[in-house]
Amino acid sequence: MDENRKEAGQQKEWPDEGEGQIILSVQSGYLQRFNKKELIKLAQKENIRIRILVEVGDFIPTGIPIVEIFDVRNKLSEEAEEELLSYLHYYHGENIDENYTYGFTQLMEIAIKALSPGINDPGTARICIHYLTDLFRLRMQWDDLGQACHEKGPVVLKWKVTSFESLLYKSFEPIKIYGSGDIMILLSLSQAIKTLAYYDAERQAHRKVLQAFYDQLLDLISKSHSYKVDKMFVKPRLENSIDTYLTLKEQY
C-alpha cells in the first residue's frame, strides 16, 4: 500500500485531454495489474499520454474500451498497441500483493461468513472490523488519484483508483446488513467510523461520507433496539455526531 500511496500522491498537472484514441480489450478476464514502469517507457518512446479506463480487479469483457491514448499524431501503430496491451495482466485469484483492495474484500467476506446462521461467530466479525479500521487508517493517507510520470517530467500515465468512499461502502455495508440484528456489531461499526473520523480530523477529506455512514448506523440502532436495557447500554457509547472525534485531536 505504501508504494500505491507514493504514486497516487503525485499531484502533477495533466493537461486538458480532449479526444483521445480508444484501445479495446482483446481478451476477457480480471485485470489484476499493469506494468507501470513499461507503460511509462512506452509513453516516453511514443510521445503519448496513457489513461487506463478500468480499475484493477474489474472483469473486462473482450471488445470494451480499456485504454485511451492522448497526444498521438496519427493512429498508434498496431505494434505499439499490441505492446501496450501486453503490459496489462489478467489472471484468476485474489493476490493482495498485486491489489491491496483484496485485503479489504477478504476481511469483509470473513466477517459476513462469521455472521451467517450456520457459523454464528460475531467475535470473529468484530475482529475483522477492527483490522478493516486499521487498513482504512492507512488508506486515508493518500488521495483518490492514480498517476505517474517519467522521473521529474510531466504525468504520462493515469489510472482509476478505488475511492475511499467506494471502499468504505463495499467493506462495511455488507457487515452492517448481515449484522443488523447484533447490537455489538453495530457498535463496533460505529466505533470504527469514529476512529476513522479521529484520523481524518486534520484533513477532513472524508468527513461527509463518515458522518453519513455514522448517521445511518445511529438510525438503525435506534429502530432495531428499543428495549430499555439496550438503550441503557447503548446511549453512553454513542454520540449524535462525530464532531467530538474531529476535535479530539486538538487536545493532544
Side-chain angles (χ1 to χ4, degrees):
M1 186 178 284
D2 288 339
E3 180 183 354
N4 287 323
R5 178 173 62 84
K6 182 178 180 182
E7 290 174 339
Q10 294 175 342
Q11 298 286 346
K12 295 196 175 183
E13 183 179 357
W14 176 276
D16 292 339
E17 295 175 347
E19 186 175 352
Q21 176 186 339
I22 297 295
I23 296 179
L24 305 180
S25 60
V26 295
Q27 66 180 101
S28 298
Y30 292 95
L31 179 66
Q32 297 291 353
R33 68 182 181 91
F34 51 89
N35 192 322
K36 299 182 186 73
K37 184 177 179 181
E38 294 301 326
L39 285 172
I40 292 170
K41 286 182 179 178
L42 178 64
Q44 186 183 29
K45 181 177 70 174
E46 298 288 337
N47 195 27
I48 58 175
R49 290 177 294 136
I50 302 169
R51 182 161 68 101
I52 298 175
L53 302 174
V54 297
E55 288 185 16
V56 170
D58 284 350
F59 179 79
I60 313 299
T62 300
I64 71 163
I66 190 171
V67 175
E68 191 169 10
I69 305 297
F70 301 97
D71 301 332
V72 58
R73 295 180 180 179
N74 299 305
K75 186 177 180 181
L76 197 66
S77 69
E78 186 175 334
E79 293 78 12
E81 186 173 324
E82 289 178 358
E83 181 182 356
L84 187 155
L85 290 173
S86 73
Y87 299 139
L88 308 180
H89 301 286
Y90 300 77
Y91 52 89
H92 296 289
E94 296 184 351
N95 187 341
I96 297 176
D97 292 332
E98 298 290 354
N99 185 358
Y100 73 91
T101 63
Y102 288 146
F104 290 82
T105 301
Q106 290 173 10
L107 282 171
M108 177 272 292
E109 290 175 344
I110 292 171
I112 62 176
K113 286 176 183 176
L115 291 170
S116 66
I119 298 178
N120 193 23
D121 181 13
T124 294
R126 290 198 299 272
I127 291 172
C128 291
I129 293 171
H130 298 158
Y131 279 102
L132 278 168
T133 304
D134 199 44
L135 286 180
F136 276 114
R137 174 186 65 82
L138 296 173
R139 173 61 180 83
M140 294 172 87
Q141 297 175 15
W142 50 283
D143 299 321
D144 297 338
L145 175 68
Q147 60 183 33
C149 59
H150 178 71
E151 296 179 350
K152 295 183 179 180
V155 173
V156 295
L157 175 64
K158 288 183 73 173
W159 63 92
K160 283 189 172 184
V161 174
T162 303
S163 69
F164 176 87
E165 180 176 350
S166 175
L167 202 55
L168 186 76
Y169 186 83
K170 291 176 180 178
S171 300
F172 280 166
E173 183 66 14
I175 300 175
K176 186 198 74 177
I177 292 173
Y178 279 78
S180 61
D182 189 321
I183 187 65
M184 300 307 298
I185 293 298
L186 296 178
L187 288 175
S188 294
L189 287 171
S190 66
Q191 183 59 51
I193 296 299
K194 290 191 288 185
T195 300
L196 294 176
Y198 171 79
Y199 286 113
D200 192 47
E202 185 174 343
R203 295 180 63 201
Q204 295 198 23
H206 308 293
R207 163 71 182 272
K208 187 175 180 180
V209 64
L210 291 173
Q211 184 68 66
F213 200 89
Y214 189 69
D215 290 343
Q216 192 179 50
L217 287 168
L218 287 179
D219 184 60
L220 185 60
I221 290 170
S222 65
K223 289 180 178 178
S224 58
H225 298 86
S226 57
Y227 291 110
K228 186 175 181 180
V229 66
D230 286 337
K231 291 181 178 180
M232 291 173 59
F233 179 78
V234 169
K235 187 175 180 180
R237 292 164 174 79
L238 294 177
E239 302 286 344
N240 289 329
S241 73
I242 55 176
D243 288 338
T244 303
Y245 279 74
L246 289 172
T247 56
L248 227 156
K249 209 165 189 178
E250 299 174 2
Q251 304 174 16
Y252 291 89

